[in-house]
Amino acid sequence: MQAKDHIFAAPIAQLGDFCFDQKVAEVFPDMIKRSVPGYSNIISAIGMMTARFARPGTHLYDLGCSLGAATQEMRRNLTQPGCRIVAVDNSSAMLERARGHLASYKSEVPVELVEADICDIAIDNASVVVLNFTLQFIAPERREALLAKIHQGLNPGGVLILSEKFRSADDTVNELLIDLHHDFKRANGYSELEISQKRTALEKVLRPDTPEQHKERLARVGFAHVDLWFQCFNFGSMVAVK
Ligand SMILES: Nc1ncnc2c1ncn2[C@@H]1O[C@H](C[S@+](CC[C@H]([NH3+])C(=O)[O-])CC(=O)[O-])[C@@H](O)[C@H]1O
Ligand SMILES: O=C(O)C(=O)Cc1ccccc1
């Protein structure tokens, strides 16, 4: 049984910034499925890209792994020998649960769970790096240095899969995509109060860039091949190959 997300269901007098605490970790699979259009398709595609891009004896990184959904899909699709998956998150509540989830599946692939800020860890000998809805929570001024570090740690031909909530450069389209996202949430049973309180809590902590900003920055740090491979409303995923 999966716990249902009611975090923003009742009025909250002092609405603070959204954070990945124990309450969020408990309901996270339900929250992300009902809040992020295309999430399960993106997770499947991360598995497919892992099968294509993983190389023997290399490292695969899941940065901002939450409960390890992408890690598990990478592990399931990894056939190359001598690889290790490094899954990183700075929320101890998330990481604790990720450990439990991953232990419930049988696998030969070693997974190292690291509690750290993804801006502080070393990345080396990488064939696959996943940032699945994590870069959006990093302070905007730290994003380019993080992507440069990822590019440096990837082997030639290695891939970065970058999924994000986007802002559209066109204000009218931006509003339309946000409205459609809210329709998606309503269709998944969220109330107007839940939608508006979460929106306020996310305002300062989730700062979306436009797809153009992402593409330009990925090119600037040195990625040779960059494009959007999926988009649904204001959520999407990019692929960048070194
Ligand atoms: N600086 C940081 N360092 C490490 N972790 C961080 C940092 N900032 C935020 N996080 C972590 O990034 C994750 C973002 S959720 C990722 C979903 C997952 N990838 C999935 O495929 O299910 C996306 C969402 O909730 O929209 C949370 O677990 C944070 O603790
Ligand atoms: O719910 C939203 O509006 C989002 O942007 C997605 C999300 C999903 C889970 C935690 C934080 C944000």
Side-chain angles (χ1 to χ4, degrees):
M1 255 284 285
Q2 225 168 56
K4 204 168 151 112
D5 168 24
H6 295 296
I7 290 179
F8 294 101
I12 301 169
Q14 249 115 45
L15 195 57
D17 286 343
F18 185 90
C19 69
F20 294 94
D21 57 12
Q22 189 171 320
K23 272 183 9 206
V24 169
E26 267 166 24
V27 299
F28 193 71
D30 179 69
M31 175 185 273
I32 197 133
K33 197 172 61 207
R34 290 165 64 214
S35 304
V36 176
Y39 176 75
S40 63
N41 304 62
I42 294 171
I43 292 290
S44 303
I46 288 170
M48 296 164 77
M49 303 232 209
T50 297
R52 275 181 186 261
F53 283 93
R55 292 290 172 267
T58 60
H59 302 152
L60 292 83
Y61 292 87
D62 181 8
L63 304 178
C65 62
S66 299
L67 303 184
T71 295
Q72 174 54 21
E73 198 65 11
M74 289 159 88
R75 191 166 68 158
R76 245 171 35 83
N77 284 276
L78 189 56
T79 52
Q80 302 292 338
C83 290
R84 179 159 54 95
I85 302 177
V86 183
V88 186
D89 207 290
N90 64 355
S91 157
S92 56
M94 285 290 192
L95 219 59
E96 204 177 288
R97 278 172 182 72
R99 204 175 296 285
H101 278 247
L102 291 166
S104 70
Y105 299 95
K106 197 170 152 270
S107 170
E108 304 285 287
V109 179
V111 175
E112 185 186 342
L113 286 166
V114 182
E115 187 178 329
D117 186 321
I118 58 172
C119 297
D120 296 337
I121 60 147
I123 295 181
D124 72 325
N125 186 26
S127 55
V128 179
V129 177
V130 170
L131 275 170
N132 203 37
F133 301 105
T134 305
L135 190 68
Q136 60 196 20
F137 292 107
I138 303 297
E141 65 276 11
R142 298 172 80 193
R143 292 178 189 175
E144 187 151 336
L146 172 60
L147 292 170
K149 176 176 76 175
I150 291 169
H151 178 265
Q152 209 161 36
L154 273 166
N155 297 334
V159 72
L160 166 66
I161 301 144
L162 172 63
S163 312
E164 289 276 286
K165 188 178 199 171
F166 295 132
R167 180 169 62 78
S168 173
D170 182 298
D171 288 343
T172 303
V173 174
N174 193 47
E175 273 178 45
L176 170 65
L177 298 186
I178 290 171
D179 277 356
L180 287 166
H181 176 230
H182 291 167
D183 287 344
F184 171 86
K185 286 191 161 189
R186 279 180 204 108
N188 286 327
Y190 283 119
S191 68
E192 298 308 316
L193 183 64
E194 284 178 293
I195 293 169
S196 79
Q197 290 195 124
K198 190 176 183 197
R199 186 182 192 176
T200 304
L202 281 171
E203 228 147 54
K204 285 197 234 126
V205 290
L206 195 172
R207 311 278 284 274
D209 291 323
T210 65
E212 294 77 15
Q213 286 174 316
H214 282 291
K215 283 190 195 175
E216 283 161 18
R217 188 167 47 208
L218 288 165
R220 250 191 335 266
V221 303
F223 282 97
H225 313 279
V226 176
D227 216 338
L228 188 67
W229 68 267
F230 178 87
Q231 186 167 353
C232 183
F233 309 139
N234 49 339
F235 289 79
S237 189
M238 299 188 143
V239 65
V241 179
K242 181 164 174 175

